Amino acid sequence: MKKIGMVTVILALAAATTLNAQRGQRNMNSDNDMPRVDRQCKIPDLTEEQEKKIKEIRTAHFKAMKSYKADLNIAKAELKKLLIAENPDKKTIDSKIESIGKLKTTMKKERVHHGLEVKKLLTDDQKMWFDKHMMHKMGERGHGCRGHHRGMK
């Protein structure tokens, strides 16, 4: 009886670990830590030149966003530290909240500007597809469609 219980616990832990590992990798491309937007949301009929330029724009965008995200995480941690202090200073807390807001605004602008840069490279048909599937999400957290739209319909 004890052996069956122990085997069940081991199998449950193994399954949970596997599922958790897969969940963490689902939106990342193993080549360069960039989300798998290419495979999930491919703009139709891109020329090789368009693909090359879009990849360059995307790489620069993700490098910038990685830095902003790190700064945002640091600012959030600093805010938590301020909030749990024995004698919290409201002015310092307000200042930290404002700096977090500025970072989020900068990140949102970066996402929108990235989308506009990509859109400049597209033909009229590609722009229509892009507007339908991607552009409405550029200002939000994320990078467009997430596997629901995989091409022109």
Side-chain angles (χ1 to χ4, degrees), residues 95-108:
S95 176
K96 188 55 65 179
I97 290 170
E98 287 177 21
S99 71
I100 289 170
K102 286 179 185 176
L103 272 169
K104 287 182 176 183
T105 299
T106 300
M107 292 170 71
K108 185 173 243 182

Side-chain angles (χ1 to χ4, degrees), residues 40-44 129 132-133 148-153:
Q40 293 178 351
C41 216
K42 187 87 168 148
I43 300 169
W129 184 94
K132 180 179 178 186
H133 294 89
H148 299 295
H149 311 287
R150 293 206 167 126
M152 293 183 117
K153 294 186 179 192

Side-chain angles (χ1 to χ4, degrees), residues 120-136:
K120 279 193 239 176
L121 301 172
L122 304 177
T123 65
D124 289 341
D125 286 341
Q126 291 167 335
K127 286 177 185 177
M128 286 176 30
W129 184 94
F130 188 83
D131 288 343
K132 180 179 178 186
H133 294 89
M134 302 278 290
M135 201 58 204
H136 69 283

Side-chain angles (χ1 to χ4, degrees), residues 58-73:
R58 185 175 290 142
T59 299
H61 169 70
F62 284 121
K63 283 181 183 178
M65 292 303 287
K66 201 174 203 179
S67 176
Y68 292 137
K69 287 177 185 177
D71 292 343
L72 183 60
N73 288 335

Side-chain angles (χ1 to χ4, degrees), residues 2-29:
K2 287 183 180 180
K3 286 183 180 181
I4 292 174
M6 187 63 100
V7 169
T8 303
V9 169
I10 290 171
L11 289 175
L13 285 173
T17 303
T18 302
L19 288 174
N20 196 29
Q22 289 174 348
R23 194 175 301 130
Q25 294 175 353
R26 72 175 173 225
N27 288 328
M28 300 308 285
N29 182 340

